[in-house]
Amino acid sequence: MNVSHPIRVALLLLGLGACADNPYVIGAVRTDAAVLDPCVDHPGALACSGFEHPELSDWPEPIVQGSGEIARSTARARSGSASLRAASSGAESSAVVVREFEPRTGGTLHLRVWLYLPGGVATETMNLFFLGDDPNPSEDPAAAFLGTDLNLEDGALQLYSPQSAVPRVTGTVQVPRDRWFCLRAAFVLADEGAVRVFVDGAPALEVDPHDTLPEGGVHLLRAGVDWSSGQTDPFEVFMDDLVLSDTPVPCSAP
């Protein structure tokens, strides 16, 4: 069929418009949150966010205590246009996003997240992640929380689980500064479980055995500044493309 020039141009423009709506077509550029959000590739994840949703609307209301601050930030992003910024400027502060899920009493939970830690910020037992049952038990007198903290201690990764025979273990590998790096952690849930943490694919901390299973099971993730401990110096960290899953999530995954 011989199509006139104006009609051919119209059909070409229509085809290009269709391609622009398909993120998988070569040459198409999409910047909206629905495509950039990694969670479309992790439908079974227990927790997941690319922090692209305005006002962190894909999370319940954040928990903030003391001098903590937490918000979606466009100051920097590993992918998309935004990340999570958590900060504190005083001791005993918190600023976290929180996700509840069905309790796990066995198996392995896998955390994958990209972090950006500015150079020069102090890390005096700075808690970034909590995975467990209850970080604030209501017993009187108050009991230690029930679960596992993943901390930064003088720039190295640290594991803290008060229910474990050796509650606190600190690694020797310094985490990168002033650039995005991939952190992966595997939590083997058991009274004699194990935790293995990797930075950019390289082993950074391994604790085996380690009690990772509180009596109530594991059903809660907190991410951000979960507790600033005794640090009074200002601190901030950026997080992006976070996934918590029953299956491993490689750094190369969205």
Side-chain angles (χ1 to χ4, degrees):
M1 179 178 65
N2 186 18
V3 182
S4 65
H5 177 70
I7 296 177
R8 287 202 304 270
V9 172
L11 290 174
L12 177 61
L13 291 175
L14 180 61
L16 289 175
C19 290
D21 283 335
N22 186 346
Y24 303 105
V25 172
I26 295 175
V29 177
R30 290 290 298 274
T31 58
D32 58 276
V35 171
L36 295 173
D37 193 328
C39 300
V40 298
D41 293 285
H42 305 283
L46 306 179
C48 184
S49 184
F51 305 105
E52 294 296 324
H53 295 264
E55 306 298 328
L56 301 176
S57 59
D58 54 332
W59 294 87
E61 186 72 21
I63 295 175
V64 178
Q65 177 180 344
S67 67
E69 302 174 18
I70 194 164
R72 176 182 181 268
S73 172
T74 57
R76 56 174 46 91
R78 184 258 165 180
S79 69
S81 60
S83 62
L84 178 73
R85 177 185 180 269
S88 68
S89 56
E92 299 183 355
S93 299
S94 299
V96 289
V97 289
V98 179
R99 180 71 71 200
E100 290 264 7
F101 48 89
E102 287 297 314
R104 297 300 197 269
T105 57
T108 303
L109 293 183
H110 299 269
L111 174 68
R112 196 289 308 274
V113 62
W114 287 81
L115 300 177
Y116 187 105
L117 185 66
V121 298
T123 55
E124 302 168 10
T125 319
M126 187 63 64
N127 175 217
L128 301 186
F129 302 98
F130 169 83
L131 188 64
D133 178 22
D134 189 353
N136 299 297
S138 57
E139 298 179 22
D140 189 15
F145 68 78
L146 305 172
T148 299
D149 271 348
L150 187 56
N151 304 331
L152 287 174
E153 179 67 67
D154 292 331
L157 291 163
Q158 179 186 84
L159 199 67
Y160 176 60
S161 303
Q163 72 272 4
S164 192
V166 179
R168 192 182 303 272
V169 181
T170 306
T172 59
V173 176
Q174 293 284 302
V175 300
R177 302 284 188 128
D178 291 324
R179 71 169 178 84
W180 287 102
F181 67 92
C182 177
L183 183 143
R184 292 189 300 113
F187 299 84
V188 180
L189 304 183
D191 293 339
E192 294 189 6
V195 180
R196 297 176 179 86
V197 188
F198 303 83
V199 171
D200 288 337
L205 179 64
E206 182 173 353
V207 188
D208 185 2
H210 192 75
D211 186 349
T212 57
L213 188 60
E215 290 187 6
V218 174
H219 59 90
L220 180 68
L221 171 71
R222 291 161 60 103
V225 175
D226 190 35
W227 191 241
S228 65
S229 302
Q231 180 169 319
T232 57
D233 292 338
F235 172 83
E236 70 172 347
V237 65
F238 295 83
M239 302 182 179
D240 207 354
D241 299 335
L242 179 154
V243 185
L244 179 69
S245 177
D246 290 313
T247 58
V249 181
C251 294
S252 59

